Amino acid sequence: MAQKPQRGRQAEAPPQREQMTLSERMYGHEAKDFNELLYEQTKNAPWLLASIGIHGVAFAIFALMPSAPPPPVQEQSNLTMNQTENLEMKEEEPPPTPEETKPLEESERVVEDPVLKDAKVSDHNETDDDMDDNGSLGDPRFNSDAPFEGPGTNGTIGIGGGAGGKFGNRRGGRNNLKAGGGGKKSQNAVDLALEWLKNHQSSDGRWDTDGFDQMCKLNKCSGPGEGTYDPGNSGLALLCFLGAGETHQNGTYKDTVRNGLKWLKDQQDAEGCFGPRSTQHFQYNHMCASLAMTEAYGLTQSPLFRESAQRGVNFVIQSQNPYLAWRYGVRDGDNDTSVTGWAVMALKSAIMAELEVDKTAFQGALTWTDRMTEPDFGRVGYQTRGTGPARTEAMKDKFPQSESEAMTAVGVLNRIFCHHSKGDEGDEIKKDEMIAKGGDLMLKKLPKWDADAGCIDFYYWYYGSLAMYQLGGKYWEAWKPAMEESIIKHQRTEPGRDEIGSWDPEDPWAPEGGRIYSTAVNCLCLEVFYRYGRVMGTGGAK
């Protein structure tokens, strides 16, 4: 226990004022007024002042210093199968930009006047009362209604872009519904199709051409195709989501897109080919899958997909026959208009995604298209000039070649995109008279769902919608209502059934593509309203 200080021994202790408490100093001695006490304490304890001063200065400095920000929270990528935890890709995403991680608030959404002016707008457009036309999202420089300057210039691509923007008015396409002539029925049909495709995606991320019915929950959907077309059908299904502005980063279906892209990437071989080469028609798989991977990269610029997209494009170039076109093999000397059409769109998409492309490839495609085009009327053949589309032996009687201008539609689109990719502008492209001649032929073969007449051809309707929208004017005004009548009216919409949102496979390629193919291609036809600007300008072909 500490002893109390003894007053009788004060002389032996150190100076008493330094050992006393403040209370002893104030009350154990002769009373002094406050000023005297303050002066005496200050005089005998300079260290106290120094300490107070130093601490005061330190406190002031710390008070002025900004507090350190909390460490950033690293988002998990959530890129998984079955919408679980990990994408298992070697590349690493850079820190996400605000656009990728936070949806725009309603007040921040971009609303711009559409560029397209030559399509008629109905007085009773169904979007007037109950459709939000102004939901354009994303960087406005890359919308199809952006100015013809800067990074969004002249971006029309195959399955996906607008002349005023790299990938069209993707992120919120309803902004161009009125200008393009679309309406609520078209958008509802697209929404139903996307939901059906989402519900019938396999757990590993693919769209299983012959086994998609395993995902049915109410009843079993009919219409399986051939299982060898899974890579191509998966590419087409992904293009439907990408066309609607859905990516692996944003959107209602981002998990669907992630898983599909991961599966596609896993199917790519060392040379860049998507899918096995064990089937004769593997190039169809590769072209459709390559187009999807290229657009996925173009929409997001994500490094997760750049290498895969570039290697896919490289394989397209590697497969082209010298100075000509493409068919089933790799530079095997054989060519056809159909595979060439898919190749042209994949390469055009790659240019808009700012991937490396040898542009001389477009001249070869144009040379082949010229060879296949009958000069008097503009009809394009599959492998022989002016003979029309291909048909399998099993389908040639049920779906006569004379009832379709599928190859003419491919040829017209090839000409437009090849000219444009070579640097030609609208007026230059219009000088190719075969474009208007092909359009005139298609006016005589408008879409019509008539199984007895054998004129149902989803492949033709798909390429025809792309080509006629590019032509604009009288061509699009005639094609659009016929296409809508045929496609929207025959979509499966019965509630309480798994088929709702899909289309029955009832065209020449139903045995190969099945319900996945028919649903994806018809959905893509309807998305042309808000996914494309016109390379030839708003006046179109004359």
Side-chain angles (χ1 to χ4, degrees):
M1 180 178 295
Q3 295 180 351
K4 295 182 180 180
Q6 300 179 19
R7 297 184 183 272
R9 299 178 61 186
Q10 288 179 356
E12 300 177 4
Q16 198 170 19
R17 295 188 185 275
E18 296 190 11
Q19 299 294 323
M20 291 182 179
T21 65
L22 181 59
S23 176
E24 290 171 331
R25 292 178 187 178
M26 293 183 65
Y27 302 110
H29 297 275
E30 183 180 354
K32 298 180 176 67
D33 65 26
F34 177 77
N35 290 333
E36 290 176 334
L37 278 172
L38 180 61
Y39 172 77
E40 185 173 345
Q41 297 303 318
T42 302
K43 178 180 178 182
N44 289 288
W47 53 270
L48 182 61
L49 280 180
S51 175
I52 293 173
I54 292 171
H55 282 80
V57 172
F59 178 79
I61 292 174
F62 280 113
L64 293 174
M65 291 177 63
S67 60
V73 178
Q74 185 175 359
E75 272 193 20
Q76 293 182 352
S77 63
N78 285 333
L79 306 181
T80 71
M81 303 311 303
N82 284 328
Q83 305 172 6
T84 50
E85 270 106 89
N86 188 8
L87 185 59
E88 298 177 3
M89 292 185 178
K90 294 181 180 179
E91 298 94 330
E92 185 176 0
E93 287 270 25
T97 63
E99 179 183 316
E100 294 176 338
T101 58
K102 180 182 178 182
L104 292 177
E105 298 296 331
E106 194 68 31
S107 61
E108 298 174 317
R109 294 175 183 256
V110 177
V111 181
E112 296 183 283
D113 293 329
V115 169
L116 308 178
K117 298 179 181 179
D118 61 328
K120 289 184 177 179
V121 180
S122 172
D123 293 335
H124 55 278
N125 191 297
E126 295 165 307
T127 66
D128 287 347
D129 298 325
D130 51 4
M131 174 70 74
D132 178 10
D133 298 318
N134 299 320
S136 180
L137 302 177
D139 189 336
R141 298 174 301 162
F142 296 96
N143 288 343
S144 63
D145 49 5
F148 286 83
E149 299 175 359
T153 301
N154 294 333
T156 299
I157 67 170
I159 284 205
K166 287 190 175 182
F167 284 87
N169 196 19
R170 292 297 185 86
R171 300 186 177 182
R174 293 176 180 86
N175 191 47
N176 275 347
L177 278 173
K178 287 185 179 180
K184 183 179 178 181
K185 288 182 180 179
S186 296
Q187 189 59 45
N188 284 348
V190 169
D191 292 341
L192 283 174
L194 294 181
E195 190 66 14
W196 186 88
L197 288 169
K198 186 264 291 186
N199 290 337
H200 290 82
Q201 183 185 32
S202 297
S203 58
D204 63 359
R206 86 178 77 187
W207 278 267
D208 193 340
T209 306
D210 62 348
F212 65 89
D213 61 351
Q214 296 178 20
M215 306 306 297
C216 293
K217 295 179 175 60
L218 302 173
N219 58 280
K220 289 287 186 180
C221 293
S222 62
E226 294 182 11
T228 55
Y229 289 103
D230 286 356
N233 264 342
S234 295
L236 291 174
L238 281 167
L239 285 165
C240 294
F241 293 99
L242 296 169
E246 299 280 334
T247 72
H248 75 289
Q249 299 164 332
N250 292 304
T252 304
Y253 300 103
K254 61 184 178 182
D255 293 323
T256 301
V257 176
R258 285 177 186 141
N259 294 338
L261 289 170
K262 183 201 179 299
W263 185 84
L264 270 191
K265 191 173 181 183
D266 288 344
Q267 310 312 304
Q268 194 171 30
D269 66 22
E271 291 186 276
C273 180
F274 289 100
R277 306 188 204 183
S278 56
T279 173
Q280 180 186 12
H281 302 122
F282 74 86
Q283 286 286 10
Y284 279 112
N285 282 328
H286 174 72
M287 298 300 177
C288 294
S290 182
L291 181 53
M293 189 63 69
T294 299
E295 291 207 6
Y297 172 69
L299 277 167
T300 64
Q301 297 293 296
S302 169
L304 287 173
F305 308 120
R306 180 179 176 84
E307 181 185 356
S308 180
Q310 184 63 66
R311 290 197 298 119
V313 170
N314 293 348
F315 189 78
V316 174
I317 297 293
Q318 177 186 338
S319 300
Q320 185 178 22
N321 293 307
Y323 310 110
L324 273 179
W326 293 263
R327 203 182 184 209
Y328 298 154
V330 177
R331 296 197 176 189
D332 59 359
D334 209 3
N335 306 274
D336 75 49
T337 303
S338 179
V339 176
T340 298
W342 289 108
V344 167
M345 288 196 293
L347 296 180
K348 184 64 175 171
S349 174
I351 289 176
M352 296 305 104
E354 299 180 354
L355 295 169
E356 296 179 7
V357 177
D358 181 357
K359 293 187 179 181
T360 61
F362 293 103
Q363 183 56 55
L366 196 54
T367 299
W368 172 257
T369 303
D370 283 339
R371 287 190 185 183
M372 292 297 102
T373 305
E374 187 276 319
D376 292 333
F377 299 101
R379 178 168 287 112
V380 180
Y382 175 66
Q383 282 192 295
T384 305
R385 173 175 283 189
T387 55
R391 292 287 184 264
T392 63
E393 284 296 320
M395 291 291 178
K396 67 179 183 179
D397 292 332
K398 185 177 180 180
F399 297 98
Q401 291 176 303
S402 60
E403 294 299 320
S404 173
E405 291 290 352
M407 292 301 100
T408 300
V410 175
V412 169
L413 199 65
N414 279 353
R415 290 178 180 278
I416 294 172
F417 286 161
C418 287
H419 282 303
H420 188 248
S421 297
K422 290 168 54 185
D424 295 339
E425 300 300 331
D427 290 339
E428 293 289 326
I429 298 172
K430 292 175 187 177
K431 292 179 182 178
D432 188 337
E433 61 181 11
M434 293 299 108
I435 293 176
K437 286 185 176 182
D440 291 338
L441 286 175
M442 287 187 279
L443 283 177
K444 299 175 183 178
K445 291 285 188 298
L446 297 174
K448 185 178 181 182
W449 194 293
D450 188 342
D452 294 334
C455 57
I456 303 174
D457 190 345
F458 304 148
Y459 181 96
Y460 171 40
W461 298 352
Y462 165 67
Y463 272 101
S465 295
L466 299 178
M468 296 295 255
Y469 187 80
Q470 288 294 322
L471 291 174
K474 65 178 183 181
Y475 300 102
W476 183 239
E477 290 170 13
W479 183 274
K480 180 189 76 69
M483 181 266 289
E484 286 184 318
E485 172 73 13
S486 297
I487 292 179
I488 298 176
K489 184 177 179 180
H490 290 89
Q491 186 180 31
R492 297 291 296 270
T493 58
E494 310 97 305
R497 293 189 61 85
D498 282 303
E499 294 93 343
I500 186 170
S502 67
W503 281 269
D504 293 336
E506 296 185 14
D507 83 330
W509 306 108
E512 289 79 15
R515 189 173 293 272
I516 298 289
Y517 164 79
S518 62
T519 300
V521 169
N522 283 321
C523 178
L524 289 168
C525 288
L526 296 175
E527 287 184 350
V528 74
F529 289 118
Y530 50 83
R531 295 171 59 228
Y532 298 91
R534 290 178 171 125
V535 165
M536 299 169 68
T538 57
K542 303 298 184 184

